[in-house]
Amino acid sequence: MRLSELFYSIQGEGKLTGVPSVFIRTSGCNLRCVWCDTPYASWHPEGDTASPEDVLARMRGFASRHAVITGGEPLIQGDIEIFCRMLKAAGFHVTVETAGTIFKPLLADLLSISPKLSNSTPDLQTDPGVSAQHEQTRLRPAILQQWIDLRTELQLKFVVQQESDVAEIHTLLEDLRGWKKQDVLLMPEGRSPETLAQREDWVVEVCKREGFRYCPRLHVQLWGDRRGV
């Protein structure tokens, strides 16, 4: 797999917020979200190739047995299924973070699926080719349904910028079966504590009204826009 970075921190998002975890960030992505906070793993992917065995050996040096496989988009890695099986065999709790545009029947304890709303699409005038490709790829309801049908613990994590995004979420959820309200998370978009603070109040109110979960970005609140946290 192509590895962008491997680091030990606390989970900053989702149901396991606050849990010490080993993060394995793969490099490369099939999307180009305009607000991407890891361009070094998507827009401008960097990193060297590492075998699953080598990555697992490095992970054993940390105290936690919670592993978070993220990206970029980890599902484009050819050996991702093998790697997940190895982690489970080694006793790790495995979270896989994906945009949900690709399906592979992985062994995982938590599927963290982040379907991309239209707020993720680059400006058509500035990046016409990238914008069109992203818009055609960002949302695959049939593939999302395959993930839900696995009946693995999951979270559907939506990045929101304005309250009008909620209508898009409802439209998507109406086409999906088998999800639960407590599995739907709304996360304010922002790469700084200041931006998050501007959006968190209304996001909390929407969650209260709809019965969804509020998803903080604890690592951003603690450390700002930094790598390796």
Side-chain angles (χ1 to χ4, degrees):
M1 68 180 70
R2 190 175 182 187
L3 187 65
S4 173
E5 56 185 345
L6 189 153
F7 59 94
Y8 184 45
S9 186
I10 59 169
Q11 174 61 273
E13 301 172 359
K15 293 180 177 180
L16 296 178
T17 295
V19 175
S21 303
V22 185
F23 289 80
I24 308 96
R25 187 180 304 283
T26 64
S27 193
C29 189
N30 61 332
L31 299 180
R32 291 295 182 268
C33 297
V34 67
W35 37 249
C36 178
D37 60 355
T38 56
Y40 52 90
S42 56
W43 282 82
H44 308 290
E46 60 185 50
D48 298 322
T49 300
S51 70
E53 292 81 5
D54 289 343
V55 176
L56 178 57
R58 292 174 60 184
M59 295 172 63
R60 292 183 187 276
F62 299 105
S64 177
R65 285 299 175 263
H66 275 76
V68 181
I69 306 173
T70 185
E73 172 53 73
L75 271 295
I76 70 174
Q77 305 295 327
D79 44 11
I80 187 67
E81 293 170 273
I82 294 172
F83 185 51
C84 286
R85 289 198 298 269
M86 290 175 59
L87 289 177
K88 289 297 297 173
F92 280 87
H93 178 285
V94 178
T95 298
V96 176
E97 297 190 345
T98 176
T101 62
I102 302 167
F103 178 79
K104 293 180 179 179
L106 304 175
L107 281 178
D109 299 282
L110 175 62
L111 299 172
S112 182
I113 306 170
S114 183
K116 303 307 183 224
L117 304 175
S118 61
N119 65 38
S120 68
T121 302
D123 181 71
L124 182 61
Q125 301 302 318
T126 305
D127 295 294
V130 172
S131 177
Q133 179 183 349
H134 177 90
E135 186 63 24
Q136 291 171 4
T137 308
R138 67 177 174 85
L139 208 54
R140 299 290 175 88
I143 291 176
L144 292 173
Q145 190 63 62
Q146 284 183 283
W147 285 114
I148 295 172
D149 289 345
L150 284 180
R151 296 293 184 260
T152 303
E153 179 74 14
L154 65 82
Q155 55 191 28
L156 296 169
K157 184 175 62 178
F158 294 94
V159 176
V160 293
Q161 290 183 323
Q162 56 272 325
E163 194 159 353
S164 58
D165 292 336
V166 180
E168 283 188 55
I169 295 171
H170 279 299
T171 298
L172 174 60
L173 293 177
E174 287 172 1
D175 289 336
L176 300 175
R177 308 174 309 278
W179 56 273
K180 300 175 184 177
K181 278 195 172 183
Q182 66 258 30
D183 297 331
V184 179
L185 284 65
L186 303 190
M187 182 173 73
E189 188 274 323
R191 297 176 62 173
S192 71
E194 294 76 20
T195 303
L196 294 177
Q198 292 170 6
R199 292 175 170 151
E200 59 189 9
D201 287 347
W202 71 260
V203 178
V204 167
E205 291 304 314
V206 170
C207 289
K208 288 163 60 180
R209 183 183 73 222
E210 303 290 345
F212 299 151
R213 290 193 185 200
Y214 175 74
C215 180
R217 304 199 75 204
L218 183 59
H219 56 298
V220 175
Q221 293 168 343
L222 291 173
W223 298 297
D225 186 16
R226 284 176 49 192
R227 294 179 64 162
V229 296

